[in-house]
Amino acid sequence: MYVHCALERSPGCHHNTNFGFVHPHSAEMTQSRSKLRSLFSSQVGKKLLTGITGLALVVFVLEHMLGNLQFLAGDDAYNAYAHFLVGLGPALWVVEVILLVFLLMHIALGIKIWMGSRRARTSRYRKSKSAGEPSRQTLSSRSMLVTGLVIGIFLVIHLASFKYGAYYETTIDGTVMRDLARLMRQKFHDPAYAFGYPAVVLLLAVHLRHGIWSAFQSLGAMRPSISRPVYTLGGLLGLGIAVGFLIVPIAIFFDWV
Amino acid sequence: MSDRMTIHLSVWRQAGPESSGAFENYTVNDVNEHMSFLEVLDVLNETLIRKGELPVEFDHDCREGICGACGVVINGVAHGPQKRTASCQLHMRQFKDGDTIVVEPWRADAFPIIRDLVVDRSAFDRIIEAGGYVSVSTGNAPDANAVLVPKDDVDRAFDYASCIGCGACVAACPNASASLFTASKIGHLALLPQGDPERSHRVVAMVDQMQKEGFGDCSNHAECEAVCPKGISISSIALMRREYMKSLVSSGG
Ligand code: FES
């Protein structure tokens, strides 16, 4: 439309662009390519993608936490739930691939943003402190890279321990399935895992305290009136997720279940 | 509080852009609690000049908090301990007799130090330039009330327009990001009918320029809002992001 009116110089046309001199098709292609580049490399695009991938990962950890709580309903219930998930087959693979891509993007963008900020201030302040409210600068916001990387490294160990860990079998109602509950009991009686796991889960809460609020601000979904409640709720959700993840390991460790 | 204080200053001294700087310690006696912080630097400079030493260079102009020329990091906080106050409007009643005050320039690679506490903030000018022009109708000046703007939009546009471009947001940001400055300028025009024809191009050009100048990315620490002498909300940054996304999806480019 703008190409048309720029060429005709119609009096009603308010667009004063140079596109009239460019072949419309190639102009569109260049534009969509540069849009994609904007999304991945511009300061706004990077935050947008970090926020979207972050929120998707929050939805995943929330679901994961609720799934873990099935353990409290008994070993069979837990194994049946795991069996159901694996039975989803291709649908599960799609979700797994999306999560993996989101996770890698989230990590890559986080590192990129951190490196950019190091470059932006190469001489440090002798004295530097937060001015307080309404600043959201906290230990949590300053340690996003560190907490994120620890969680990332933990994730590899976690997948190796469970998803790709020892394969025990059990039979429930005539169906042979993986006995994941047995592996859980074994892992959470191992002191290294029993203590390492809660530590990482608490770091996740610290990461989400800034992360959830920050994601909404990055998506442009923030107004002064909702900023404080969103920050508080985000922090509580992070804490709730951590507490949910801690219940089963603690119960196993102390032989309550 | 006694109205005569002794103040110890630890001031960043740097002879030029290429030289390496260091902190120098000074003591200023007979500081009146009603003096502004910059007046203490004036007193210090008079003593230095009398002794034949070079005065401490610092930027200032209006000294009434409206021009944005002044700005130093005082005890680790851009513009010092008082909220919504530019360095020139900070008064010595904020300090106690015998206090040591650490005074540093804005530190960001996009704001190279020219000398002592003076930094080159022309990166901000180039971000403004990148924003380009605003179309206006020529001819007689229109009546002030000819263009109707909703009250809420006017209020928000005015809040964003109150940015004086001092650079405290960059100085305080752990990432040295210029997002609050850029977003204020974008938000101010995005909410008004004036400048609407160029709004889509403007946001992309200004965001790109801020990145080219070497400012860091925003990590939503919101430290900028806490030090802004005008208290500009980071809701402007949320608005800038919405504008940017709208511009990416709209075919107008
Ligand atoms: S000198 Fe003008 S704002 Fe401080």
Side-chain angles (χ1 to χ4, degrees):
Chain A
M1 181 57 202
Y2 54 79
V3 173
H4 175 74
C5 70
L7 283 174
E8 298 225 335
R9 305 209 181 280
S10 73
C13 172
H14 299 289
H15 296 280
N16 182 20
T17 65
N18 292 324
F19 286 117
F21 302 104
V22 184
H23 189 270
H25 185 61
S26 70
E28 246 162 52
M29 272 172 25
T30 324
Q31 221 175 43
S32 60
R33 247 203 315 274
S34 77
K35 272 179 191 174
L36 207 62
R37 208 179 315 124
S38 296
L39 202 55
F40 280 93
S41 64
S42 81
Q43 297 201 337
V44 172
K46 275 185 275 180
K47 288 308 287 178
L48 174 69
L49 291 177
T50 308
I52 290 174
T53 53
L55 286 180
L57 292 168
V58 169
V59 171
F60 164 73
V61 289
L62 184 63
E63 189 279 329
H64 185 1
M65 182 273 282
L66 295 173
N68 279 13
L69 291 180
Q70 305 256 357
F71 194 92
L72 300 176
D75 289 17
D76 283 0
Y78 186 71
N79 284 331
Y81 170 68
H83 186 67
F84 157 75
L85 282 185
V86 174
L88 292 175
L92 184 71
W93 304 337
V94 171
V95 173
E96 282 179 346
V97 168
I98 293 175
L99 281 173
L100 182 66
V101 170
F102 276 24
L103 182 76
L104 293 177
M105 261 167 68
H106 194 78
I107 295 172
L109 289 163
I111 293 174
K112 208 170 159 187
I113 290 170
W114 179 80
M115 290 196 326
S117 72
R118 299 281 298 182
R119 269 198 305 274
R121 179 174 293 131
T122 49
S123 68
R124 325 294 303 169
Y125 286 112
R126 169 165 145 199
K127 206 169 171 186
S128 179
K129 61 177 188 203
S130 172
E133 266 302 302
S135 171
R136 298 260 183 258
Q137 191 184 178
T138 56
L139 194 60
S140 161
S141 80
R142 292 302 297 267
S143 64
M144 291 304 272
L145 185 87
V146 177
T147 51
L149 287 180
V150 173
I151 294 164
I153 293 165
F154 164 79
L155 205 58
V156 177
I157 301 170
H158 187 61
L159 285 173
S161 310
F162 287 100
K163 190 171 166 66
Y164 302 104
Y167 196 98
Y168 304 118
E169 273 183 357
T170 180
T171 310
I172 300 172
D173 296 335
T175 318
V176 178
M177 61 180 73
R178 189 177 182 188
D179 192 353
L180 211 54
R182 183 175 157 194
L183 184 59
M184 283 265 275
R185 291 182 183 282
Q186 183 192 320
K187 281 286 168 198
F188 287 119
H189 274 115
D190 168 3
Y193 212 89
F195 288 97
Y197 183 90
V200 175
V201 162
L202 290 176
L203 285 185
L204 176 66
V206 172
H207 193 79
L208 294 186
R209 180 186 173 208
H210 181 72
I212 294 176
W213 174 85
S214 177
F216 284 106
Q217 166 75 5
S218 293
L219 297 181
M222 196 57 76
R223 279 177 286 121
S225 56
I226 60 163
S227 174
R228 190 191 286 268
V230 170
Y231 188 77
T232 309
L233 288 175
L236 287 176
L237 180 60
L239 196 64
I241 289 174
V243 169
F245 271 125
L246 289 180
I247 290 174
V248 173
I250 289 175
I252 292 176
F253 189 74
F254 291 107
D255 292 318
W256 293 337
V257 284
Chain B
M1 193 193 288
S2 73
D3 60 352
R4 291 286 160 186
M5 311 189 271
T6 299
I7 294 291
H8 307 286
L9 295 169
S10 194
V11 184
W12 181 260
R13 302 299 310 260
Q14 182 173 333
E18 307 304 330
S19 1
S20 62
F23 284 94
E24 288 286 340
N25 296 324
Y26 304 100
T27 296
V28 184
N29 296 309
D30 282 344
V31 171
N32 182 315
E33 62 171 345
H34 304 298
M35 283 163 81
S36 77
F37 182 76
L38 297 190
E39 281 165 345
V40 174
L41 293 183
D42 290 337
V43 172
L44 169 67
N45 280 345
E46 279 167 21
T47 355
L48 290 177
I49 291 166
R50 270 199 297 274
K51 283 198 287 186
E53 292 175 32
L54 285 172
V56 176
E57 294 280 344
F58 62 93
D59 257 333
H60 63 103
D61 188 11
C62 70
R63 296 217 177 184
E64 51 187 25
I66 55 169
C67 75
C70 67
V72 284
V73 173
I74 299 166
N75 279 343
V77 176
H79 287 310
Q82 193 177 12
K83 288 275 160 65
R84 300 203 176 190
T85 305
S87 301
C88 60
Q89 283 292 293
L90 180 70
H91 287 81
M92 294 313 289
R93 61 187 81 101
Q94 299 290 328
F95 299 94
K96 290 193 305 292
D97 187 25
D99 273 0
T100 298
I101 306 174
V102 179
V103 192
E104 297 178 72
W106 291 166
R107 291 194 193 276
D109 288 38
F111 285 168
I113 295 175
I114 298 173
R115 188 186 185 102
D116 298 338
L117 304 172
V118 180
V119 299
D120 177 0
R121 283 169 289 187
S122 54
F124 271 9
D125 299 338
R126 290 187 291 273
I127 292 175
I128 295 289
E129 266 170 43
Y133 54 83
V134 170
S135 289
V136 290
S137 305
T138 53
N140 289 337
D143 281 343
N145 56 2
V147 182
L148 301 180
V149 190
K151 171 85 168 101
D152 277 356
D153 291 352
V154 174
D155 288 348
R156 281 170 63 210
F158 188 79
D159 284 348
Y160 298 153
S162 65
C163 169
I164 53 177
C166 62
C169 43
V170 174
C173 176
N175 302 357
S177 164
S179 289
L180 189 65
F181 167 78
T182 310
S184 307
K185 301 303 174 190
I186 288 167
H188 152 209
L189 285 173
L191 290 163
L192 296 174
Q194 293 88 348
D196 192 57
E198 299 85 13
R199 79 191 267 187
S200 175
H201 167 261
R202 182 186 308 120
V203 61
V204 174
M206 290 177 78
V207 167
D208 287 353
Q209 188 63 34
M210 127 174 115
Q211 191 163 13
K212 265 185 226 147
E213 296 294 343
F215 293 105
D217 291 82
C218 170
S219 287
N220 302 327
H221 294 290
E223 193 60 38
C224 50
E225 179 176 337
V227 298
C228 176
K230 302 297 150 184
I232 295 173
S233 162
I234 56 164
S235 66
S236 58
I237 300 178
L239 175 66
M240 170 174 79
R241 288 170 175 155
R242 291 199 296 278
E243 286 291 311
Y244 192 90
M245 286 173 238
K246 265 190 240 163
S247 166
L248 282 193
V249 292
S250 78
S251 56

